[in-house]
């Protein structure tokens, strides 16, 4: 009953504030204290009792009252950090201030005229050591940082302080109060629900402060500095190191399963999970910066970001082990299989974990080398493949697909990654893919094949990246299984059909990538890949058809018309082919998004040419260089040809009914298309494959006839003991396409990261129904 009265009193105070037409004096403490001293149950109450419409009305009609409310809240937080927040009443006031600001600040950010409010100074504010007035934003961030290490509020009481001696937050050594053991801190403090809940509230407010980025347009956003993040991660924040350490240790030490007691998450409230999620989101936001920006001002700014500086300087193997084990434990959590359905806790923040893993590898090369030094990288690979395979049919998770592929592209640029993939795949994660016996490389190829053949159309810009990853690892793959070999040939078969090659001027790149895969394996790993060699021999007609691809205009036009008539039939065939072998036990088919699911728009996917740079190219290797360098920007969905260099059934039909004066137009289009096809057909790297077929096909046919063989196992045995030494062209140098930082991927990651944070924060819905501009919120 008392709680109902409290809510009623608070609601009355809100109504009183929003209906006042005259400014309320800042010195009217009796009025302003109503918003901070009431004992509300939780943060959700503030979102219920302060509607969005009333905040906007207050902002437009009584701006001075809104300004005073924010100032009073920050002032009380600053005073609490000065007084060490000793009593229960003071702690309640702090929580109310924190929750009130979390509710109000997004509506301040969405208004351009209000955006600089927190960076202004108000009369009577605290002054720094130089006697200058501190902007409201800095006072707020300083108070949050101090209160994050406040004894009896967010951390346990220090050993030195007795019952009558409270520690001064201004002089406290916060490094002794780091939240969790791990990087740079060995002591694991006791976990009290009260402390964990308070930390979560503080981090939610911090995240809200940083979210100004969401209210800036994507086109101009990267040219403006987020002053909140800059100040918080600078040397002016004396708690920067313990805060960074607390955040990363909290995330990496979390074990959602614990002792493994079935259904324990249903019997007890887990205060750690919301804290870990908030800590993870704050961490990835503070690590955001412009890797690809060469501007001096930005370079200096990034050097001033102590969080990035600390991350890049981690070097001890035990710290790397702690971080990698923590991330892989959390990433593999959704893959855990139990006999009791629903008995194991499932976390939902795997997208944020992938962003953190990306930032770790990108900012700390020693960590990347540590990850690739052993087979531990496979503990990250398998969950990534699981997630992107599971998300392939869901348009609301297209961002998850992108980041998974980008991480694999980054890893594939290192030789050790390809070598590690030769480890046998023995664990059986329930994925909706065909059963096979083989290595992790087989798993990767089978999953990629599934994504390409059964994913939705918005994934087409990723095809180049998927095949580039396979190209990068191909020189190191010792033994491909028959299933993976068949999938690779099936992709070549699908991509080399004339109608597909002529549909877009960029589609031939996919054929070049696959041919490069086969060339690498034949030249460098022939001995162990009898299954692939056998599959190439069986499907040799595909290579002969490529070599004899028509380049004359009339045949191209005819192929395009056939494509228009047979497209549906072909798609049905592809789908049927991809279904063949039985899926893994316990696997569920990939599902489309439920109607009404919210999704956020993403920045344009950078083209492959800008995302990668060639490593160890050969001057004589013009063909292979042009495959990567010639990759043009891929549109969101591949459209039928409609430029002067393109031909489509629709354009031809329209041209047939065109006036007589345009009779030359179709002919010119066909001539241009023919010259375009001829230009890349002459560069198809078929020499190695054709030479291999020239040598092996007669031998295989002779053995089959002489011995009357009908069993492929005998042919595979023959191929295993065969050799092409001295018969093939001179091996080409291995060409690896490494990921390189660029402004396009920086912008993409920033948009994706804030989109994930927007959608994940539903309790409370911090940014819901506010006017965000960095991305669009769409309903499926």
């Amino acid at each position: 009953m008392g709680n109902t009265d409290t809510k009623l009193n608070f609601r009355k105070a809100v109504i009183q504030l929003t209906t006042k037409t005259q400014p309320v004096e800042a010195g009217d403490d009796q009025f302003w204290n109503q918003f901070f001293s009431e004992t509300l149950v939780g943060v959700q109450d503030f979102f219920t009792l302060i509607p969005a419409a009333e905040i906007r009305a207050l902002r437009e009609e009584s701006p001075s009252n809104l300004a005073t409310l924010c100032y009073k809240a920050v002032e009380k937080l600053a005073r609490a950090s000065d007084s060490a927040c000793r009593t229960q009443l003071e702690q309640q006031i702090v929580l109310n201030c924190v929750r009130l600001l979390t509710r109000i600040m997004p509506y301040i950010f969405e208004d351009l005229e209000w955006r600089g409010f927190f960076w202004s100074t108000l009369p009577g504010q605290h002054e720094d050591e130089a006697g200058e007035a501190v902007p409201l934003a800095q006072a707020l961030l300083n108070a949050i940082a101090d209160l994050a290490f406040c004894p009896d509020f967010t951390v346990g009481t220090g050993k030195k302080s007795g019952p009558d001696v409270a520690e001064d937050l201004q002089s406290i050594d916060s490094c002794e109060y780091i939240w969790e053991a791990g990087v740079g801190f060995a002591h694991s403090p006791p976990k009290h629900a009260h402390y964990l809940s308070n930390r979560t509230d503080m981090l939610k407010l911090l995240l809200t402060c940083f979210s100004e980025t969401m209210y800036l347009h994507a086109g101009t956003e990267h040219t403006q500095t987020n002053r909140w993040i800059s100040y918080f991660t600078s040397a002016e924040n004396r708690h920067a190191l313990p805060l960074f350490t607390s955040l990363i240790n909290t995330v990496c030490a979390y074990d959602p399963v614990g002792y493994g007691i079935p259904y324990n998450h249903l019997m007890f409230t887990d205060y750690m999970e919301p804290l870990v999620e908030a800590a993870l989101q704050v961490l990835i936001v503070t690590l955001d910066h412009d890797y690809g920006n060469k501007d001096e001002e930005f370079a200096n700014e990034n050097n001033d970001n102590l969080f990035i500086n600390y991350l890049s300087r981690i070097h001890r193997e035990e710290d790397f082990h702690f971080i990698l084990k923590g991330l892989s434990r959390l990433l593999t959590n959704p893959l855990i299989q139990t006999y009791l359905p629903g008995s194991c806790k499932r976390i939902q923040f795997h997208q944020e974990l992938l962003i953190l893993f990306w930032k770790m590898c990108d900012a700390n090369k020693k960590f990347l080398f540590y990850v690739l030094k052993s087979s531990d990288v496979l503990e990250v690979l398998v969950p990534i493949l699981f997630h992107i395979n599971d998300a392939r049919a869901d348009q609301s998770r297209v961002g998850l697909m992108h980041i998974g592929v980008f991480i694999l592209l980054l890893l594939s640029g290192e030789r050790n990654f390809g070598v590690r993939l030769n480890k046998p795949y023995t664990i059986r994660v329930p994925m909706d893919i065909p059963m096979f016996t083989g290595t992790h490389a087989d798993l990767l190829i089978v999953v990629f094949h599934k994504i390409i053949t059964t994913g939705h159309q918005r994934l087409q810009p990723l095809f180049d990246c998927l095949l580039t990853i396979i190209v990068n690892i191909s020189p190191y793959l010792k033994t491909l299984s028959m299933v993976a070999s068949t999938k690779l040939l099936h992709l070549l078969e699908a991509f080399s059909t004339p109608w597909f090659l002529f549909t877009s001027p960029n589609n031939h790149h996919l054929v070049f990538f696959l041919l490069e895969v086969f060339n690498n394996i034949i030249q460098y790993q022939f001995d162990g890949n009898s299954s692939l060699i056998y599959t190439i021999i069986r499907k040799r007609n595909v290579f002969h058809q490529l070599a004899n691809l028509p380049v004359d205009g009339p045949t191209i036009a005819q192929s395009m018309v056939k494509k228009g008539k047979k497209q549906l039939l072909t798609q049905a065939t592809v789908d049927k082919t991809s279904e063949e072998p039985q899926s893994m036990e316990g696997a569920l088919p990939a599902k489309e998004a439920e109607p009404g699911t919210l999704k956020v728009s993403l920045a344009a996917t950078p083209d492959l040419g800008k995302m990668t740079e060639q490593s160890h190219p050969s001057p004589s290797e013009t063909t292979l260089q042009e495959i990567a360098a010639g990759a043009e920007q891929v549109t969101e969905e591949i459209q039928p040809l409609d430029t002067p260099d393109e031909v489509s059934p629709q354009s031809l039909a329209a041209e047939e009914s065109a006036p007589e004066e345009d009779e030359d137009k179709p002919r010119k289009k066909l001539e241009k298309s023919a010259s375009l096809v001829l230009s890349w057909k002459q560069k198809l790297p078929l020499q190695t494959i054709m030479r291999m077929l020239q040598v092996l096909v007669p031998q295989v046919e002779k053995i089959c006839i002489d011995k009357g063989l009908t069993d492929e196992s005998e042919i595979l045995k023959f191929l295993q003991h065969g050799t092409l030494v001295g018969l093939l062209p001179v091996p080409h140098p291995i060409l690896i396409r490494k990921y390189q930082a660029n402004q396009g991927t920086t912008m993409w990651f920033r948009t994706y990261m804030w989109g994930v944070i927007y959608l994940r924060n539903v309790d409370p819905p911090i940014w819901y129904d506010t006017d965000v501009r960095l991305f669009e919120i769409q309903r499926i």
Side-chain angles (χ1 to χ4, degrees):
M1 185 68 186
N3 187 249
T4 305
D5 290 340
T6 300
K7 291 182 180 180
L8 189 59
N9 292 337
F10 186 85
R11 179 65 189 141
K12 284 178 180 177
V14 172
I15 294 172
Q16 197 177 355
L17 178 66
T18 54
T19 53
K20 280 185 180 292
T21 54
Q22 297 299 319
V24 181
E25 289 294 329
D28 189 354
D29 290 339
Q30 185 179 356
F31 175 78
W32 294 112
N33 286 342
Q34 298 176 91
F35 298 97
F36 312 116
S37 57
E38 298 291 351
T39 311
L40 298 178
V41 174
V43 66
Q44 197 67 50
D45 289 337
F46 285 84
F47 283 76
T48 306
L49 298 173
I50 313 177
E54 293 184 13
I55 301 175
R56 289 192 175 107
L58 184 64
R59 186 186 68 198
E60 303 301 328
E61 297 167 17
S62 304
S64 61
N65 287 344
L66 178 59
T68 306
L69 182 65
C70 293
Y71 169 65
K72 285 288 183 182
V74 175
E75 183 185 45
K76 288 190 177 294
L77 288 176
R79 284 181 182 172
S81 67
D82 289 339
S83 65
C85 199
R86 296 169 192 153
T87 66
Q88 189 172 353
L89 176 61
E90 284 181 312
Q91 293 183 6
Q92 186 59 52
I93 289 174
V94 166
L95 290 176
N96 285 348
C97 292
V98 166
R99 293 163 180 173
L100 183 70
L101 287 170
T102 304
R103 176 58 173 152
I104 290 175
M105 287 183 72
Y107 297 92
I108 289 177
F109 291 150
E110 74 176 5
D111 190 300
L112 183 61
E113 295 179 359
W114 274 84
R115 211 165 286 154
F117 165 71
F118 275 94
W119 293 96
S120 60
T121 55
L122 298 176
Q125 266 189 256
H126 287 78
E127 296 183 348
D128 60 14
E129 295 174 1
E132 296 179 3
V134 177
L136 208 57
Q138 291 186 15
L140 175 57
L141 292 174
N142 288 339
I144 294 173
D146 284 340
L147 292 168
F149 301 101
C150 179
D152 273 341
F153 180 60
T154 49
V155 294
T157 308
K159 297 175 183 177
K160 296 177 184 177
S161 60
D164 301 322
V165 183
E167 296 191 59
D168 179 13
L169 292 190
Q170 305 305 315
S171 59
I172 198 173
D173 182 7
S174 48
C175 287
E176 296 179 5
Y177 292 93
I178 289 172
W179 295 350
E180 186 60 77
V183 178
F185 192 66
H187 174 61
S188 186
K191 297 179 177 65
H192 295 295
H194 171 65
Y195 300 155
L196 302 181
S197 177
N198 291 345
R199 289 176 196 170
T200 304
D201 281 338
M202 303 301 289
L203 292 178
K204 291 280 188 184
L205 174 56
L206 205 51
L207 199 58
T208 308
C209 293
F210 297 157
S211 68
E212 184 181 6
T213 300
M214 275 202 250
Y215 298 92
L216 302 172
H217 287 289
T220 59
E221 190 278 331
H222 63 268
T223 64
Q224 300 183 26
T225 308
N226 187 316
R227 290 182 286 180
W228 295 87
I229 298 175
S230 295
Y231 179 79
F232 189 76
T233 58
S234 71
E236 293 184 67
N237 178 5
R238 70 185 189 89
H239 300 293
L241 177 58
L243 276 166
F244 169 79
T245 313
S246 294
L247 293 175
I248 198 166
N249 289 356
T250 297
V251 172
C252 296
Y254 179 52
D255 184 359
V257 177
Y259 293 110
I261 301 170
Y263 303 106
N264 63 340
H265 61 288
L266 301 178
M267 296 182 282
F268 308 103
T269 303
D270 183 5
Y271 289 94
M272 273 301 295
E273 184 180 11
L275 172 61
V276 170
E277 188 173 322
L280 179 54
Q281 291 174 356
V282 169
L283 187 59
I284 60 176
V285 167
T286 53
L287 294 173
D288 181 39
H289 77 142
D290 293 84
Y291 287 92
N293 201 312
K294 305 298 182 188
D295 188 89
E296 221 174 280
E297 183 184 340
F298 278 106
N300 293 335
E301 202 173 287
N302 293 332
N303 291 335
D304 290 340
N305 186 320
L306 294 182
F307 279 45
I308 296 173
N309 188 281
Y310 296 146
L311 182 71
S312 65
R313 284 164 50 190
I314 297 174
H315 63 279
R316 296 192 309 170
E317 292 232 341
E318 53 266 41
D319 291 339
F320 287 154
H321 176 79
F322 168 74
I323 293 171
L324 182 57
K325 281 297 177 189
L327 293 178
S328 59
R329 177 174 59 246
L330 293 172
L331 283 170
T332 52
N333 169 264
L335 285 62
I336 296 173
Q337 296 297 295
T338 58
Y339 291 106
L340 300 171
S343 64
C344 183
K345 185 179 181 66
R346 295 281 190 267
I347 61 162
Q348 301 297 324
F349 47 83
H350 48 272
Q351 295 189 82
E352 295 97 313
L353 288 167
L354 291 177
I355 296 172
L356 178 59
F357 181 77
W358 169 274
K359 290 183 179 296
M360 282 287 307
C361 292
D362 204 23
N364 191 323
K365 295 306 176 190
K366 289 180 181 176
F367 176 74
L368 176 60
F369 297 144
Y370 175 84
V371 169
L372 296 168
K373 190 172 70 172
S374 69
S375 297
D376 290 343
V377 66
L378 303 178
E379 295 179 16
V380 176
L381 169 73
V382 173
I384 289 176
L385 292 177
F386 170 83
H387 285 301
I388 65 175
N389 181 64
D390 187 55
R392 69 180 188 274
D394 186 346
Q395 290 198 29
S396 69
R397 293 196 282 170
V398 68
L400 170 60
M401 298 287 302
H402 278 72
I403 189 170
V405 172
F406 288 165
I407 288 173
L408 296 180
L409 179 64
L410 176 70
L411 295 176
S412 72
E414 305 297 333
R415 176 185 177 276
N416 276 354
F417 181 67
V419 174
R420 300 298 165 218
L421 291 178
N422 289 306
K423 184 177 180 180
Y425 177 65
T426 52
I427 59 172
R428 283 293 174 256
V429 174
M431 292 193 212
D432 179 27
I433 56 173
M435 294 283 288
F436 71 93
T437 301
T439 65
H440 284 78
D442 295 310
L443 174 67
L444 182 143
I445 290 170
V446 170
V447 169
F448 282 11
H449 174 271
K450 194 80 172 179
I451 291 169
I452 291 172
T453 57
T454 65
H456 56 80
Q457 272 207 319
R458 289 191 66 198
L459 299 181
Q460 288 189 358
L462 285 178
F463 287 4
D464 274 4
C465 280
L466 292 171
L467 295 187
T468 299
I469 293 165
I470 300 178
V471 171
N472 283 347
I473 64 174
S474 59
Y476 315 111
L477 305 183
K478 294 180 179 178
T479 308
L480 281 184
S481 69
M482 185 62 78
V483 172
S485 303
T486 305
K487 297 304 180 191
L488 284 176
L489 264 296
H490 177 246
L491 288 178
L492 181 66
E493 202 170 3
F495 290 149
S496 63
T497 53
W499 66 261
F500 181 80
L501 284 173
F502 303 148
T503 298
S504 167
N506 296 324
N507 282 356
H508 66 279
H509 293 156
L510 304 177
V511 171
F512 274 72
F513 284 133
L514 285 166
L515 292 177
E516 190 177 348
V517 170
F518 299 138
N519 285 334
N520 283 340
I521 293 176
I522 292 169
Q523 291 280 21
Y524 293 102
Q525 300 292 346
F526 177 84
D527 291 345
N529 278 290
S530 55
S531 295
L532 179 64
I533 305 303
Y534 173 69
T535 310
I536 290 175
I537 292 173
R538 278 187 57 204
K539 295 283 186 179
R540 58 189 178 277
N541 285 343
V542 177
F543 300 96
H544 290 302
Q545 287 169 6
L546 261 179
N548 298 312
L549 195 70
V551 293
D552 59 295
T555 312
I556 291 174
Q558 190 178 4
S559 300
M560 292 299 299
V561 172
K562 285 181 180 177
K563 175 258 179 178
K565 293 177 182 177
K566 297 182 179 180
Q567 187 171 11
L568 293 176
L569 178 64
T570 309
Q571 185 59 46
T573 308
V574 169
D575 292 343
K576 188 176 179 182
T577 311
S578 61
E579 283 171 8
E580 11 110 302
Q582 183 182 357
S583 292
M584 293 185 174
E585 186 179 351
L588 297 173
K591 295 179 182 177
E592 295 184 7
E594 294 286 333
T597 303
L598 290 178
K599 67 169 184 174
V600 296
S601 61
L602 296 169
T605 307
D607 69 60
L608 189 65
K610 292 179 180 178
M611 283 179 62
T612 57
E613 59 181 355
Q614 297 177 4
S615 178
H616 308 300
S618 166
S620 63
E621 200 180 347
T622 54
T623 302
L624 292 172
Q625 289 181 17
E626 286 168 3
I627 297 171
E632 299 172 13
Q633 185 161 357
V634 184
T635 54
E636 191 72 357
E637 294 182 10
I638 295 178
Q639 302 291 335
L641 294 177
D642 53 14
T643 68
D645 293 335
E646 304 162 351
V647 182
S648 70
Q650 294 84 354
S651 61
L652 287 177
E655 284 155 4
E656 286 173 7
S657 58
E660 290 183 7
E661 58 266 22
D662 292 336
E663 283 181 359
D664 286 344
K665 197 173 180 182
R667 181 177 57 78
K668 290 178 181 177
K669 272 197 173 187
L670 291 175
E671 287 174 359
K672 288 183 179 180
S673 297
S675 64
L676 182 69
V677 172
L678 181 62
S679 68
W680 57 255
K681 183 195 170 185
Q682 292 172 339
K683 300 167 186 172
L684 282 170
L686 286 167
Q687 298 84 352
T688 299
I689 298 169
M690 289 304 194
R691 179 59 181 155
M692 183 196 75
L693 292 173
Q694 187 182 1
V695 172
L696 291 182
V697 170
Q699 295 180 15
V700 171
E701 288 178 344
K702 185 174 186 300
I703 289 175
C704 290
I705 294 170
D706 292 350
K707 298 187 178 180
L709 297 180
T710 55
D711 184 9
E712 66 181 25
S713 60
E714 292 294 325
I715 301 172
L716 288 170
K717 282 182 184 177
F718 165 74
L719 292 174
Q720 282 171 3
H721 300 294
T723 180
L724 293 177
V725 175
L727 299 175
L728 293 178
V730 177
H732 55 272
I734 295 173
L735 181 70
I736 302 297
R737 295 169 184 85
K738 287 180 176 251
Y739 167 81
Q740 61 177 354
N742 63 88
Q743 190 61 48
T745 47
T746 301
M747 195 62 229
W748 186 93
F749 270 99
R750 187 170 297 152
T751 308
Y752 170 63
M753 174 181 70
W754 280 112
V756 169
I757 291 171
Y758 177 96
L759 293 177
R760 295 277 298 123
N761 282 274
V762 292
D763 185 23
I766 299 175
W767 301 280
Y768 182 73
D769 204 27
T770 60
D771 186 18
V772 296
R773 297 179 180 85
L774 183 62
F775 45 77
E776 293 178 10
I777 295 92
Q778 302 159 347
R779 196 175 291 275
I780 292 177

